[in-house]
Amino acid sequence: SFQMEVNHLQITPLLRKNSFPSARKFSGLDFRKEFKGSVLERKAKNQRRGIISSILGRFTDWTGISRKPSKRLNAVSDSLSCDLLCPIDEFPCEILLEIFAKLDRTTVIRCREVCSKWKNIIEDANVLRQTLLKPKTLSRLCIRGVPKKESGGKRMIEMRWIDYDTQSCKAILLPIPLNVNASPLFFAFSQFQIQRIVIQDLSFTDDIVHFLRMNLHYCPSLSPVQLTLSNLDFGTAKSLTLHHLLAVVGKTLEVLEIQSVYGIRPLDFTDAHVSQLDATKVRRLVVDKIRLSGCTSRSLLLGDDSLRLFISANNFPTLVLDRCNVTTGVVCDYSHSWLDSAQYDEEAVHRHQVCTVKRCHRVNAAHFEEECSKRRLNCRRSSVTRTTTVYNIQSEHGHDEFTFALFPVPVEDSKKEEGLPHLN
Amino acid sequence: TFTTEETESVTIERDLLRHAANLDKLISETGRDASNNPLPIHLPRVTKETMDALIAWFNEHKDDADWVEKKDEDNKIEDIPDYDKQTFDAIDQQILYGLIIAAELLDIKPLFDSTCKVVAGKLNGMTVEQMREYLDVECDFTEEELKTIREENEWCNS
């Protein structure tokens, strides 16, 4: 019959054990210690004793047969007997959490300020387990370096989130160097679902990427769709800096833009970086207005492998490639494969894809025309200006068109580059 | 029968306790409903006033349907039975808290839900200072910490 009772008592009270590791020093009254004969106390006791002794213990509990009261229980009830009131300060954390769960969003955020116990409860629930506040979608998170005159002389970074739906935005200023310990934003990030990240107007350093990674770690289901790096100084970046960033966000990106960056070196953006993306998801890859550092390099080591990656994934993002290491042949392959894939689409929609190749020293117009005729592509030069040549390649049935814009390496540059070794 | 902390004994009818899941199970398991077994269940930290309020609540709700756990979206904070709203508004804070704790202890879900909602309803819309006063909580942050927290709060509050 005792065995039966063991099975019956599958009551699940509110979880008590180790629910709030960070608020442990504030353990509210633990009723298990005081409520003799309570279900909770029995459960706790059983976890410490063997089966036989626990069954015996239950028996004596219920029938009220007096046993030697444990010293600990007595001490606790002694200290309680002088305090008949029960201020909320002694509320166990679980009850506080239940109350917080019923508050509206702004109030919960305000509660964080009240005292450290409350702060710990809220952060525990939200940051570690993301059960308290519903996530907030940010259309764009913009991390921008603030010019000195705006920030009053100090070097600052501004993090601004923008929500397209509600047309709202808010910014926070952080001092450089970014220090995760000094300004943790884990709580904020634990509510953010970020769709696009823009980093602009600053020196791209390991610090910033580290700070970003630490905070992004707390985002629920981080899956940004776009990463734009604009107007950055890559001179301060190490060769792995961008790799570190892409490691966290790369797999879900559909748009990757790196534009107007200076001080960049060949190893800073390569085929290896592109392979950190999901080749089937990328819709647009822009590498534009690149200013390589020094005179010792012709191009970024972003080359044919990336194009081949897209071809084999049967996914053809819009490309803008400035100062890259691609060759004419493979670019032509790319357009050919796009035309092939477009052809298999059922709808007779006019499809158009654009590929812009700028200042890539291994691509030139004449060669392109040759390659096109080799592949029997219907290629037509549609405009030639001093700086660009535009080709239109049409598919057989004329529905699909691939536009290839070529900006050759400017003459002054090629003179400079004559002495440089060829990158293969 | 029950004893409260002040060792006062209170008798409660068995069927009033329907909502107190823990007690229910406890009693039926141990067969205490038989009248020849009058050993009391001891409830420390439940004062006489709390006990009274508890009994009053039991009396009021004894015919209620069994408690159904509602989902978050449906569980509006205003959704409190009228009787509860009236009594809890008028009730002394300490008793209210006693009820919350008793409800959690004895696993009386509807009571726990109502009382928490009442407290939450009062907290909604209060400023930080008001919250501290209402619940008698001390602020243990330094100036700097407060500043950082406020900044972060400001930023993530839409």
Side-chain angles (χ1 to χ4, degrees):
Chain A
S1 67
F2 282 118
Q3 203 50 46
M4 250 175 31
E5 280 154 42
V6 172
N7 292 334
H8 275 301
L9 279 169
Q10 293 305 321
I11 305 172
T12 43
L14 299 181
L15 283 169
R16 286 302 178 86
K17 281 202 146 185
N18 301 321
S19 315
F20 290 92
S22 65
R24 190 109 46 137
K25 49 186 164 140
F26 303 110
S27 61
L29 247 17
D30 189 349
F31 293 105
R32 290 174 293 186
K33 295 192 197 120
E34 304 148 47
F35 189 14
K36 276 193 240 165
S38 77
V39 170
L40 297 173
E41 198 213 18
R42 254 177 274 128
K43 256 198 142 192
K45 275 202 200 147
N46 292 339
Q47 279 151 352
R48 278 177 265 144
R49 295 197 270 173
I51 292 285
I52 302 283
S53 51
S54 68
I55 295 175
L56 276 179
R58 267 198 226 123
F59 179 65
T60 55
D61 281 343
W62 293 339
T63 58
I65 293 170
S66 59
R67 302 173 284 131
K68 246 191 294 187
S70 72
K71 284 193 198 146
R72 191 157 57 101
L73 286 174
N74 259 349
V76 170
S77 44
D78 274 346
S79 68
L80 287 177
S81 56
C82 45
D83 175 13
L84 301 177
L85 300 176
C86 101
I88 200 162
D89 221 15
E90 296 185 34
F91 262 19
C93 301
E94 284 79 6
I95 297 190
L96 277 177
L97 184 59
E98 279 300 315
I99 299 182
F100 291 150
K102 299 182 161 63
L103 296 173
D104 59 20
R105 192 204 177 80
T106 39
T107 317
V108 174
I109 295 181
R110 224 179 281 145
C111 282
R112 239 181 112 234
E113 248 178 82
V114 169
C115 72
S116 51
K117 175 179 179 180
W118 288 27
K119 174 168 179 283
N120 282 338
I121 296 175
I122 294 177
E123 291 193 347
D124 230 43
N126 210 57
V127 173
L128 295 183
R129 292 174 294 157
Q130 284 153 3
T131 50
L132 194 54
L133 292 169
K134 290 206 186 55
K136 180 187 160 65
T137 310
L138 304 183
S139 313
R140 191 156 29 129
L141 177 67
C142 187
I143 300 153
R144 175 178 85 96
V146 178
K148 280 196 187 161
K149 53 185 166 151
E150 239 184 83
S151 67
K154 281 187 273 195
R155 293 176 63 216
M156 291 261 181
I157 286 194
E158 178 197 71
M159 285 221 186
R160 176 187 292 266
W161 58 256
I162 298 162
D163 183 4
Y164 296 158
D165 289 335
T166 59
Q167 297 279 305
S168 59
C169 75
K170 253 206 196 151
I172 190 173
L173 284 174
L174 303 163
I176 296 182
L178 285 181
N179 185 344
V180 172
N181 295 324
S183 34
L185 294 172
F186 305 152
F187 179 67
F189 275 84
S190 71
Q191 305 164 50
F192 291 158
Q193 266 183 341
I194 306 177
Q195 292 180 335
R196 299 170 190 84
I197 302 178
V198 174
I199 306 180
Q200 62 189 41
D201 308 328
L202 42 76
S203 298
F204 196 58
T205 59
D206 270 337
D207 275 349
I208 293 183
V209 171
H210 178 67
F211 183 82
L212 206 51
R213 275 173 58 131
M214 290 300 285
N215 282 310
L216 289 177
H217 175 67
Y218 291 98
C219 285
S221 59
L222 178 68
S223 47
V225 152
Q226 174 176 336
L227 173 64
T228 300
L229 305 180
S230 167
N231 194 21
L232 300 181
D233 177 10
F234 258 77
T236 44
K238 307 277 186 327
S239 61
L240 289 179
T241 310
L242 186 52
H243 273 302
H244 286 317
L245 182 56
L246 287 177
V248 180
V249 300
K251 282 298 167 205
T252 50
L253 289 182
E254 294 177 20
V255 175
L256 175 58
E257 298 174 337
I258 301 180
Q259 50 203 28
S260 310
V261 298
Y262 53 97
I264 196 168
R265 289 145 307 205
L267 279 175
D268 282 330
F269 195 67
T270 65
D271 292 324
H273 290 87
V274 175
S275 67
Q276 282 183 288
L277 311 174
D278 184 342
T280 58
K281 286 207 179 129
V282 183
R283 289 183 293 116
R284 191 175 148 77
L285 177 60
V286 172
V287 178
D288 197 10
K289 304 199 186 71
I290 305 290
R291 291 213 314 252
L292 287 158
S293 79
C295 315
T296 54
S297 34
R298 281 174 185 251
S299 71
L300 298 175
L301 283 175
L302 171 64
D304 292 338
D305 283 342
S306 297
L307 292 182
R308 291 197 192 105
L309 190 66
F310 291 125
I311 293 174
S312 60
N314 205 30
N315 177 38
F316 302 90
T318 309
L319 296 176
V320 175
L321 301 173
D322 183 26
R323 289 253 185 243
C324 293
N325 205 27
V326 291
T327 61
T328 320
V330 181
V331 173
C332 209
D333 278 339
Y334 188 82
S335 34
H336 192 186
S337 306
W338 179 80
L339 285 166
D340 281 343
S341 81
Q343 184 186 0
Y344 287 115
D345 269 321
E346 294 288 317
E347 316 151 355
V349 174
H350 180 91
R351 292 181 174 278
H352 191 190
Q353 182 58 295
V354 180
C355 175
T356 308
V357 172
K358 288 178 164 184
R359 305 187 292 177
C360 295
H361 61 100
R362 294 169 82 188
V363 178
N364 74 48
H367 198 188
F368 187 73
E369 290 182 34
E370 248 180 69
E371 294 284 342
C372 281
S373 59
K374 258 198 245 169
R375 291 170 178 70
R376 313 248 171 91
L377 292 175
N378 181 5
C379 170
R380 172 180 63 89
R381 201 185 329 176
S382 72
S383 84
V384 185
T385 69
R386 196 166 54 86
T387 49
T388 73
T389 311
V390 180
Y391 291 97
N392 280 326
I393 308 177
Q394 286 210 322
S395 66
E396 290 157 9
H397 47 76
H399 277 159
D400 308 317
E401 190 176 290
F402 189 96
T403 301
F404 173 64
L406 173 63
F407 291 62
V409 178
V411 176
E412 317 82 58
D413 281 6
S414 54
K415 287 216 177 100
K416 262 194 267 171
E417 286 162 14
E418 247 148 50
L420 291 177
H422 267 270
L423 290 163
N424 263 338
Chain B
T1 44
F2 294 82
T3 56
T4 68
E5 182 172 13
E6 293 157 333
T7 64
E8 284 197 31
S9 177
V10 169
T11 314
I12 304 185
E13 281 175 26
R14 177 77 179 85
D15 56 354
L16 284 183
L17 295 173
R18 209 162 48 80
H19 286 294
N22 274 0
L23 279 184
D24 240 21
K25 287 217 165 100
L26 181 58
I27 292 174
S28 52
E29 303 293 340
T30 61
R32 267 186 167 133
D33 36 8
S35 53
N36 56 2
N37 196 352
L39 288 167
I41 301 175
H42 183 61
L43 299 171
R45 295 200 61 78
V46 178
T47 64
K48 177 76 169 54
E49 296 89 18
T50 315
M51 205 63 217
D52 285 340
L54 200 55
I55 296 175
W57 188 86
F58 277 145
N59 269 316
E60 180 64 30
H61 288 266
K62 62 180 167 188
D63 295 320
D64 276 357
D66 282 333
W67 175 250
V68 170
E69 194 69 43
K70 295 196 203 122
K71 284 208 183 123
D72 273 336
E73 302 86 64
D74 300 332
N75 205 10
K76 296 278 181 257
I77 201 176
E78 302 81 34
D79 216 6
I80 314 177
D82 282 331
Y83 166 79
D84 289 354
K85 216 181 288 193
Q86 287 162 6
T87 32
F88 296 154
D89 268 338
I91 214 171
D92 181 38
Q93 255 193 358
Q94 295 302 336
I95 303 185
L96 183 58
Y97 300 153
L99 274 180
I100 295 186
I101 294 191
E104 200 248 353
L105 197 55
L106 304 173
D107 195 21
I108 311 173
K109 287 204 170 60
L111 178 61
F112 186 63
D113 192 64
S114 300
T115 44
C116 281
K117 279 179 183 162
V118 166
V119 178
K122 295 236 169 78
L123 283 180
N124 257 336
M126 277 193 181
T127 68
V128 178
E129 262 317 305
Q130 287 171 337
M131 276 194 244
R132 286 205 193 110
E133 248 185 71
Y134 178 63
L135 297 169
D136 201 20
V137 172
E138 258 183 49
C139 170
D140 50 352
F141 290 130
T142 65
E143 265 304 310
E144 282 170 32
E145 287 172 351
L146 259 187
K147 185 160 162 285
T148 339
I149 296 176
R150 276 206 200 112
E151 264 180 29
E152 193 180 348
N153 279 355
E154 193 43 47
W155 190 51
C156 61
N157 220 343
S158 50

